[in-house]
Amino acid sequence: MPYEPPTHTVERSLRATTGAKVIAGVDEVGRGAWAGPVTVCAAVTGLRRPPVGLTDSKLLTVKRRTQLAAELEKWVTAYALGHASPEEIDELGMTASLRLAAVRALEALPVRPDAVILDGKHDYLGAPWRVRTVIKGDRLCVAVAAASVIAKVHRDKMMAELGIDHADFDFAANAGYPSPVHKAALEERGPTPYHRLSWAYLDALPRWRHLKKVRVWADGSVPEIEGQLGFDF
């Protein structure tokens, strides 16, 4: 299916309206997974023409995405990755974990960005970062698309490595996201050390429900589920 390539339109707008010179595109992967970290990539690209075929990582085949990530890592001005672990996700919740991973990525760049283009409509970064949110930024903005591809390939590789000792879960294929194989392994074996134990899927596992971690705010309330997929996917 044909698609429009991403552009530098948002970056040029930020340069013109704010005076920003170094602008990072930021995207995440792993938000809806049952296992593994949430991973954020921050990429600085400047205004150069990107490699052919760059788009949202979800629109690419595994082979093309892997090839493109290797090209992008040499092409971008700079990139860095940040992660929030399953334990941090359980303790902090997803929104705070996204911010933690994004800050880790941004602070790992060789130069602090003057502005950030963040994929989506919700600014989970906030002050002191100067943020422009862009819905479907991973399709529309070059820097965000680059971050999308690099983040996806790196996290997929990480999950494949974590899954070597847990072959029944097939992390190499599902990257910790829900799948029939993943669901069957959870029912039989219970969660691995890499699973998020505050996630809703545990509610449907009577043998393992006692492992669930419940976060409670200071006022005694239980936070809302943040985009989690339950067991009946």
Side-chain angles (χ1 to χ4, degrees):
M1 182 176 180
Y3 51 82
E4 291 294 322
T7 70
H8 294 295
T9 300
V10 176
E11 188 168 343
R12 292 183 190 278
S13 172
L14 278 170
R15 287 171 177 256
T17 58
T18 70
K21 295 182 179 179
V22 179
I23 300 173
V26 169
D27 198 16
E28 57 78 21
V29 63
R31 185 194 301 245
W34 287 349
V38 63
T39 296
V40 173
C41 180
V44 179
T45 65
L47 299 178
R48 293 171 297 139
R49 185 188 299 274
V52 174
L54 177 62
T55 188
D56 173 10
S57 64
K58 296 184 291 295
L59 300 178
L60 301 168
T61 64
V62 173
K63 180 179 180 180
R64 180 56 186 141
R65 188 166 57 228
T66 303
Q67 293 171 339
L68 190 55
E71 294 178 49
L72 287 167
E73 289 176 17
K74 298 175 182 178
W75 174 81
V76 297
T77 303
Y79 80 92
L81 293 156
H83 311 277
S85 69
E87 293 82 7
E88 289 170 327
I89 294 169
D90 287 335
E91 179 182 353
L92 302 172
M94 182 50 70
T95 299
S97 296
L98 280 170
R99 186 178 195 278
L100 182 63
V103 169
R104 285 170 173 166
L106 289 164
E107 291 184 343
L109 290 170
V111 178
R112 184 182 177 90
D114 302 312
V116 174
I117 304 173
L118 192 62
D119 181 50
K121 64 180 180 180
H122 175 57
D123 177 10
Y124 56 76
L125 259 176
W129 304 94
R130 178 185 289 165
V131 176
R132 174 76 61 85
T133 58
V134 179
I135 296 173
K136 295 186 178 179
D138 48 10
R139 298 189 191 187
L140 300 175
C141 305
V142 169
V144 180
S148 160
V149 172
I150 294 171
K152 174 66 174 167
V153 170
H154 275 267
R155 187 180 181 279
D156 282 358
K157 180 180 179 183
M158 181 188 306
M159 290 306 299
E161 292 171 351
L162 292 179
I164 290 174
D165 294 329
H166 303 277
D168 289 351
F169 291 83
D170 202 17
F171 287 160
N174 61 52
Y177 282 86
S179 74
V181 171
H182 192 168
K183 179 178 178 179
L186 273 168
E187 289 181 308
E188 176 65 25
R189 299 184 176 274
T192 71
Y194 309 115
H195 276 85
R196 303 168 187 181
L197 298 182
S198 60
W199 246 224
Y201 67 83
L202 276 171
D203 293 334
L205 296 172
R207 290 177 61 192
W208 313 106
R209 195 180 297 150
H210 65 285
L211 298 174
K212 187 172 181 181
K213 295 181 179 179
V214 179
R215 289 181 292 116
V216 179
W217 295 145
D219 63 2
S221 64
V222 177
E224 293 182 6
I225 293 173
E226 301 166 282
Q228 298 178 31
L229 293 172
F231 210 67
D232 296 324
F233 55 87

